[in-house]
Amino acid sequence: MLRTPTGGAGSGTATAGDRLVSIGTVLNQLRDEFPEVTISKIRFLEAEGLVEPRRTASGYRKFSPQDVERLARILRMQRDHYLPLKVIREHLDALERGEQIKLPAPGRRDLLEGAWEQDEAESPTVARLGRDELIAAAEVTETELVEWESYGLIAETEGGGYDAEAVTVARLVADLGRFGLEPRHLRAVKAAADREAGLIEQVVAPLRRHRNPQTRAHAEATAKELAAQSVRLHAALVQTALGIRLQ
């Protein structure tokens, strides 16, 4: 358990007597309770606006005790209650307004009563789709679907049927086709996605093997956050490359 002053729920505020610490020190303070936390995780939460450390003149992050406690509260909400970041942000805002919040029972997503909303980077959770349902939802033809499957862009799940992401992929492949990009051109994109998924799996695998059941349960949320960051990095790199080539 953290031994830092709790202060207010807000972030980025510190009194003259508070000792500001580096992100490495924050990591060490959190790891006793959250062995899976990483510097990348803390930076991700900052990027999402959930914590706002101070910055030195040279740009280094400095965290107050209130920042550390806020991070711990965020990590507990994720680990114990499986809350997505959007809902966590709403709870933190409510606490800052002095309101009471009601958290679901630990380990029970179904008690959120409609509050379980995926982050924008995450896919909606729905039942598996049949082939006809996928074609109808994506507004594509059977011929197109067969071709995309032949290039490995879309595939059935191990248990049969298609997941929600198959609809998104189908629509995007169709949209790109209107610009003249054919499925054969997209094989490199699929290969890159598979490599990125492999990197994420390397990070998440130790969490799934952890003796702490809560840490194992947190592996899925960690994988989703890493996937979101990977997508952002990919988009930024493509935009950078285009900016250089089009100059």
Side-chain angles (χ1 to χ4, degrees), residues 19-87:
R19 185 171 66 90
L20 301 178
V21 297
S22 68
I23 193 170
T25 301
V26 173
L27 184 67
N28 290 333
Q29 291 180 12
L30 292 172
R31 269 190 167 162
D32 284 346
E33 184 177 354
F34 309 99
E36 74 281 1
V37 72
T38 63
I39 286 180
S40 295
K41 169 80 171 183
I42 297 173
R43 288 173 176 165
F44 173 75
L45 294 174
E46 178 190 358
E48 291 296 311
L50 289 165
V51 64
E52 298 177 4
R54 292 185 177 187
R55 292 276 186 165
T56 65
S58 54
Y60 290 103
R61 297 172 178 83
K62 290 295 182 180
F63 295 79
S64 70
Q66 289 79 14
D67 292 325
V68 180
E69 186 60 35
R70 183 179 174 92
L71 283 167
R73 177 172 287 166
I74 292 167
L75 294 172
R76 290 188 195 107
M77 288 184 184
Q78 284 190 314
R79 181 195 64 193
D80 300 340
H81 306 283
Y82 301 100
L83 295 180
L85 297 183
K86 180 179 179 180
V87 176

Side-chain angles (χ1 to χ4, degrees), residues 2-242:
L2 292 173
R3 298 183 181 277
T4 57
T6 56
S11 175
T13 59
T15 66
D18 285 335
R19 185 171 66 90
L20 301 178
V21 297
S22 68
I23 193 170
T25 301
V26 173
L27 184 67
N28 290 333
Q29 291 180 12
L30 292 172
R31 269 190 167 162
D32 284 346
E33 184 177 354
F34 309 99
E36 74 281 1
V37 72
T38 63
I39 286 180
S40 295
K41 169 80 171 183
I42 297 173
R43 288 173 176 165
F44 173 75
L45 294 174
E46 178 190 358
E48 291 296 311
L50 289 165
V51 64
E52 298 177 4
R54 292 185 177 187
R55 292 276 186 165
T56 65
S58 54
Y60 290 103
R61 297 172 178 83
K62 290 295 182 180
F63 295 79
S64 70
Q66 289 79 14
D67 292 325
V68 180
E69 186 60 35
R70 183 179 174 92
L71 283 167
R73 177 172 287 166
I74 292 167
L75 294 172
R76 290 188 195 107
M77 288 184 184
Q78 284 190 314
R79 181 195 64 193
D80 300 340
H81 306 283
Y82 301 100
L83 295 180
L85 297 183
K86 180 179 179 180
V87 176
I88 290 175
R89 184 181 292 108
E90 292 172 354
H91 283 329
L92 293 175
D93 290 343
L95 288 171
E96 288 185 340
R97 295 191 298 267
E99 300 174 6
Q100 296 293 322
I101 63 172
K102 183 178 180 180
L103 295 173
R108 291 291 302 279
R109 291 184 179 180
D110 56 320
L111 296 182
L112 286 170
E113 298 178 349
W116 175 251
E117 298 175 11
Q118 298 276 346
D119 297 323
E120 292 181 359
E122 297 174 356
S123 304
T125 301
V126 298
R128 290 175 182 170
L129 302 173
R131 191 174 188 85
D132 291 341
E133 292 173 314
L134 171 60
I135 290 173
E139 300 180 345
V140 299
T141 66
E142 170 71 22
T143 301
E144 289 173 322
L145 181 56
V146 169
E147 182 182 15
W148 299 340
E149 287 179 320
S150 70
Y151 283 97
L153 299 174
I154 294 178
E156 289 189 80
T157 63
E158 292 183 2
Y162 302 86
D163 59 22
E165 285 299 338
V167 177
T168 302
V169 171
R171 288 175 176 171
L172 289 173
V173 172
D175 288 342
L176 290 171
R178 298 185 182 100
F179 290 91
L181 291 175
E182 301 177 8
R184 60 188 176 88
H185 299 138
L186 302 178
R187 286 183 297 184
V189 178
K190 177 63 166 61
D194 288 341
R195 288 194 295 270
E196 290 176 20
L199 290 174
I200 293 172
E201 179 60 29
Q202 289 180 22
V203 175
V204 174
L207 302 183
R208 289 176 173 163
R209 296 193 298 266
H210 202 280
R211 289 183 294 178
N212 187 332
Q214 292 177 331
T215 299
R216 294 197 301 270
H218 189 58
E220 180 183 356
T222 301
K224 289 180 178 179
E225 289 180 9
L226 288 173
Q229 292 187 65
S230 178
V231 169
R232 290 175 180 172
L233 174 60
H234 180 85
L237 290 174
V238 171
Q239 291 174 359
T240 299
L242 283 174

